[in-house]
Amino acid sequence: MPPPVPPKSNAGKTWGIVGAIAGVVVIGGIASAVALSGGGGGGGGTTGPKYRVTVPQTLADGSYTLSKDISQQAGTSVPHDGANEHGITAVGGQYGSGTKSLVMVGLYGTIDNPRTTVEHAIRGMKDDARTDVAVPEKEFTPSGGSGPLTCGVDVRQEAGQKITMAFCVWADASTSVNVAQTDTADLSKDPRSVDLQEFADTAGKIRQEVTKPLDTASA
């Protein structure tokens, strides 16, 4: 279980713990995506994986800086094989940008049905008595015209504190990534005030930065 959220006055400590909480939620969602039954008929997994997910030192054109690589935690939590995903490797990182904490957790391998993976990842994130759906997920197309992302806002209850968490998820036949962001400047901000299109634009940049062909050197 993650530790309780300290008072807001202890900003640095709060930032790290809130990021850890977000990481627990996101890893849980990804793990559920692989563990849940389903799949078939959608991803062309017979050709084998072509891409992998990396953990760069910065994200979104340098806006976020890596504070902790959580790939080991993700790797021990996420099953390597499921009904819809096979030969899975999981990686992740916790990033910071001012008062914002962003968690990126990705998996790569063979994905039979990417839509099923996205649906199960989102279900896994909110399948918790302490997490409520604040803004239901829907598809957004990030600026630049790349493929759509599924984004929404959840509210997490921790030690009497409400934590607003925006997220975006995407998947293809080789990769699936979930990014979630919290802001310690206003942990309990009105979830409806979150600009999901703006966050989708950021997630679109992150998708390009973390997804690499399997035959390239590590980022």
Side-chain angles (χ1 to χ4, degrees), residues 60-61 140-149 151 168 170 179 196-211:
D61 296 329
F140 290 82
T141 299
S143 59
S146 55
L149 314 167
C151 307
C168 286
W170 64 89
V179 294
L196 277 177
Q197 181 61 61
E198 180 181 40
F199 188 55
D201 292 344
T202 297
K205 293 178 182 179
I206 293 172
R207 175 167 56 187
Q208 294 178 346
E209 293 168 342
V210 303
T211 305

Side-chain angles (χ1 to χ4, degrees), residues 76-171:
T76 57
S77 301
V78 177
H80 295 294
D81 290 284
N84 187 52
E85 297 85 12
H86 319 282
I88 292 300
T89 298
V91 299
Q94 181 181 338
Y95 294 79
S97 176
T99 59
K100 296 178 181 178
S101 178
L102 182 143
V103 173
M104 182 280 296
V105 177
L107 57 85
Y108 61 95
T110 298
I111 298 175
D112 296 333
N113 191 321
R115 180 175 293 277
T116 296
T117 298
V118 170
E119 292 174 351
H120 286 177
I122 294 172
R123 186 193 309 177
M125 287 180 62
K126 60 190 180 185
D127 188 18
D128 187 309
R130 288 178 293 172
T131 302
D132 296 317
V133 176
V135 179
E137 67 275 2
K138 68 176 185 177
E139 285 194 348
F140 290 82
T141 299
S143 59
S146 55
L149 314 167
T150 302
C151 307
V153 183
D154 290 341
V155 174
R156 175 84 173 182
Q157 298 274 356
E158 287 288 345
Q161 173 71 62
K162 292 182 178 180
I163 302 173
T164 297
M165 188 165 57
F167 67 86
C168 286
V169 186
W170 64 89

